Amino acid sequence: MKTKRELRIASRASQLARIQAELVGNAVKQRFPDRDIIYVPVITTGDRSAETGNLPPKNKDDFVREIEMLLLKNEADLAVHSLKDVPSNAPDELTLCTVLQREDPRDVLVGRANMFCLNPSAKIGTSSPRRRALLNFRFKSNNVAHIRGNVDTRLQKLDCGEYDSILLAAAGLHRLNLRHRIDSYLDPSNFVPAPCQGTLAVQFRHDDVQLASTIEPLQHLRVEAAARCEREIVLSLEADCNSPIGIYCEDRSTEYVLHAIVLNIAGTETLELKVNDQDPVRLATNVANSLIAMGVEKLLR
């Protein structure tokens, strides 16, 4: 079968999403120099909502639905996503898999050297229910305010004095070459990241055998295993993007260590687990079953 030269890669239209798409495109080009990479930026419903300052989208579908439709209509060949933005109910016609190494999964503080130098009444910006709940639970922060927009917009709001500090994902700032803006990294065993934070994923039509063989060299089995572990727990708990839940499957070469925390929205009640196992599938099952047995549904109501 003759290889198709043109590869149309769809992603969200933000600068960060374009950079992530280019990371994948460049990796493909390095292994298959004859492929012509074409980037297809998409302004999604979730992006429009974020930039207009409305409330956060009700679910992650708002960030991927239009992109998935391009694949289904054969108007793009490959989609690149931040895996944490991809819901568990992806269309059956599409294959989803992780690619490249995971970027730093930690949350970071921008604007202050560390959380302990912030007054409890300092205005901290974040749009994440998980981060809001953790700020209250760990640091008793009582002035956490919503902040919307892409990374540049949020940094501008901080620089203009609208916030004393903001919380962001290290992965995004690293990929945007903005490491110098990071004032401190938050310990992921204490301030547990969002499931799959820092992990890139691609989607393509499941019957595209040629593209599957193109993507295979970009995959890393242990990255995929950790991602599946984290997503399986979210699915088992019937959680969504508005659930204050942190899950981090840490790869320690010979085993995986699972850090999990589930909070109520206010951050006044929590369930926490730290479990290790060599088998990430068994790890996901045991942690999900333990959280359910401990009454996690009461926190996620």
Side-chain angles (χ1 to χ4, degrees):
M1 181 185 297
K2 187 177 180 180
T3 301
K4 180 183 176 183
R5 289 192 46 146
E6 184 179 276
L7 179 62
R8 300 165 296 174
I9 300 180
S11 71
R12 292 165 63 183
S14 71
Q15 182 185 8
L16 176 57
R18 286 293 303 271
I19 287 173
Q20 292 175 166
E22 288 170 5
L23 287 172
V24 176
N26 291 340
V28 170
K29 191 76 172 176
Q30 185 176 15
R31 291 165 176 79
F32 304 95
D34 62 326
R35 301 302 293 267
D36 295 327
I37 310 296
I38 298 174
Y39 295 101
V40 184
V42 181
I43 300 176
T44 68
T45 299
D47 294 317
R48 287 191 291 271
S49 174
E51 289 305 318
T52 55
N54 294 331
L55 292 176
K58 293 182 179 180
N59 56 63
K60 294 181 179 180
D61 288 346
D62 289 340
F63 289 111
V64 301
R65 187 186 302 111
E66 290 98 334
I67 297 174
E68 290 176 336
M69 286 304 301
L70 289 181
L71 296 175
L72 294 172
K73 293 189 294 184
N74 197 20
E75 294 176 9
D77 304 301
L78 186 73
V80 177
H81 305 288
S82 292
L83 185 53
K84 73 174 184 177
D85 292 334
V86 181
S88 56
N89 59 340
D92 293 337
E93 300 90 338
L94 300 179
T95 293
L96 177 74
C97 60
T98 64
V99 290
L100 308 183
Q101 292 288 359
R102 187 176 193 171
E103 217 350 318
D104 193 323
R106 291 177 291 179
D107 287 317
V108 296
L109 186 69
V110 181
R112 288 293 186 277
N114 60 67
M115 290 298 304
F116 298 101
C117 68
L118 278 169
N119 187 290
S121 61
K123 187 177 180 181
I124 304 175
T126 178
S127 59
S128 161
R130 171 189 60 88
R131 290 173 179 152
R132 292 170 65 90
L134 277 169
L135 281 169
N136 188 39
F137 180 69
R138 298 294 193 204
F139 302 104
K140 306 306 176 188
S141 301
N142 56 25
N143 190 17
V144 182
H146 280 293
I147 185 170
R148 305 295 294 153
N150 59 33
V151 173
D152 281 340
T153 299
R154 297 185 191 202
L155 291 173
Q156 288 171 12
K157 291 180 178 181
L158 172 68
D159 294 340
C160 289
E162 295 183 39
Y163 301 85
D164 295 298
S165 185
I166 60 176
L167 282 177
L168 295 169
L173 291 171
H174 287 190
R175 289 171 180 151
L176 287 165
N177 198 27
L178 292 173
R179 291 172 184 259
H180 63 282
R181 294 302 308 261
I182 297 173
D183 290 290
S184 63
Y185 292 84
L186 301 183
D187 182 352
S189 65
N190 182 49
F191 208 89
V192 187
C196 299
Q197 186 160 291
T199 302
L200 290 183
V202 296
Q203 271 184 311
F204 52 92
R205 292 179 295 279
H206 71 79
D207 58 354
D208 194 335
V209 178
Q210 187 182 102
L211 186 51
S213 64
T214 299
I215 293 301
E216 186 177 6
L218 278 60
Q219 296 181 265
H220 298 272
L221 293 179
R222 293 188 69 86
V223 174
E224 179 79 15
R228 288 188 180 278
C229 175
E230 294 173 16
R231 283 173 65 84
E232 182 58 35
I233 294 172
V234 174
L235 183 62
S236 298
L237 300 184
E238 299 182 356
D240 58 33
C241 64
N242 291 314
S243 302
I245 177 171
I247 301 174
Y248 173 39
C249 185
E250 182 183 1
D251 181 4
R252 293 189 178 175
S253 298
T254 59
E255 65 176 3
Y256 297 90
V257 179
L258 197 289
H259 308 269
I261 186 168
V262 183
L263 308 98
N264 63 351
I265 289 294
T268 56
E269 299 178 58
T270 181
L271 292 174
E272 291 186 72
L273 284 176
K274 180 180 178 181
V275 186
N276 61 291
D277 200 314
Q278 293 181 335
D279 184 343
V281 175
R282 184 170 57 217
L283 188 59
T285 300
N286 290 342
V287 168
N289 289 342
S290 295
L291 288 170
I292 291 170
M294 294 163 68
V296 70
E297 74 281 354
K298 296 178 182 178
L299 298 180
L300 293 176
R301 285 176 182 170

